[in-house]
Amino acid sequence: MNKHVDICIAHSPIFLPQLPRNAGAWSNRYSVNLLLAIPLKYQIRNRKNNIHITLKTTDMRTTLKTIAAALIMVTSLSSFASEKANPLKDVESDMVIGSYMEAVTVGSIDLNKFLFADDFQYSNVNNNDRAGKKEYIKYLKTNKGNKYDCKSSYEILSQDGKVCVAKATMAFDNFTRVDYITLNQGKDGWKVSKVETIYP
C-alpha cells in the first residue's frame, strides 16, 4: 500500500517538471537569459555609463556645431563690416565736402571718423587757433545736433589728380565764415586734410 502511494506521488504530475510542449525552446530561451544575467547594481552602473557616453558625444557634436556656426557668423560679419566700414570710400570729392558741411552747420557727426585724414590740420587765420584731427572731431561732437542759422554753400576751386581745393561759405546775419578745404585722395577715398577758416 505504501509502495503504491509512493509510486503515485513520484509519478504525479504535480511533482513532475511542467515544461512547455517545445521544451528545447524553453530551455534555450531562459538558459541564455540566466547565463547573461548581471546583478542589478552593475546594470544600473552600466546604464549610467552608456547615458553619460551618449550625452558626452551629443554635447561634443553640439559644441562643434556651435563653434562652426560662430566662425561662419564672424567671417560673414567681418566681411560685411569691411565692405560697409567707410561709406565715403568710393564717392566723389563733392560728396565729401557736402558731408563736411553737414558736420559743421547742422551738427551731423555720423561720418566724422571717415571725413578727416590722420594728419588733418585746422587753422583759424583770424585768431591763429590750430587743432589736429582729434581736437577738431571733439569740437564737432560738442556741437552735435546744433544747427547754425546761416546760408551755406560751397564750390570746388580746383581739382587736379588726387588733390582738391574747395571754398565753403556760411553767411550769418552779422558775419560770414569762409572755410578753404583741402582734400586728398588715397586708398580710402577722399579725405579732408586741411581746413583754413577766415572771417572776411
Side-chain angles (χ1 to χ4, degrees), residues 164-181:
C164 175
V165 178
K167 177 184 177 182
T169 305
M170 291 157 268
F172 295 85
D173 289 339
N174 301 325
F175 64 93
T176 300
R177 170 180 166 172
V178 177
D179 284 358
Y180 288 95
I181 308 162

Side-chain angles (χ1 to χ4, degrees), residues 179-192:
D179 284 358
Y180 288 95
I181 308 162
T182 304
L183 296 91
N184 294 98
Q185 188 180 31
K187 63 178 182 178
D188 292 325
W190 289 98
K191 300 270 189 182
V192 178

Side-chain angles (χ1 to χ4, degrees), residues 92-94 156-165 185 190:
E92 298 296 325
S93 58
D94 60 337
I156 294 176
L157 301 177
S158 69
Q159 182 168 332
D160 186 18
K162 297 185 177 183
V163 179
C164 175
V165 178
Q185 188 180 31
W190 289 98

Side-chain angles (χ1 to χ4, degrees), residues 7 11 13 24 50 55 57 74 79 81 86 89 96 116 127 144 147 154 159 163 166 178 183 198-200:
I7 291 168
H11 295 291
N50 287 341
L55 289 175
T57 306
V74 167
S79 63
N86 184 359
K89 183 176 181 179
V96 176
F116 303 100
N127 61 13
K144 178 183 177 182
K147 296 182 180 180
Y154 68 87
Q159 182 168 332
V163 179
V178 177
L183 296 91
I198 64 169
Y199 295 89

Side-chain angles (χ1 to χ4, degrees), residues 27-39:
S27 61
N28 287 340
R29 186 175 63 208
Y30 288 97
S31 62
V32 170
N33 284 341
L34 290 172
L35 289 173
L36 294 178
I38 300 172

Side-chain angles (χ1 to χ4, degrees), residues 88 91-101 111 115 154 156 183:
L88 298 175
V91 301
E92 298 296 325
S93 58
D94 60 337
M95 292 288 291
V96 176
I97 297 166
S99 299
Y100 170 79
M101 292 297 292
L111 299 175
L115 275 175
Y154 68 87
I156 294 176
L183 296 91

Side-chain angles (χ1 to χ4, degrees), residues 128-144:
N128 208 25
D129 280 348
R130 298 186 181 277
K133 177 180 180 178
K134 188 176 179 181
E135 295 84 9
Y136 197 66
I137 288 178
K138 186 178 179 182
Y139 162 75
L140 291 175
K141 280 184 180 178
T142 60
N143 291 323
K144 178 183 177 182

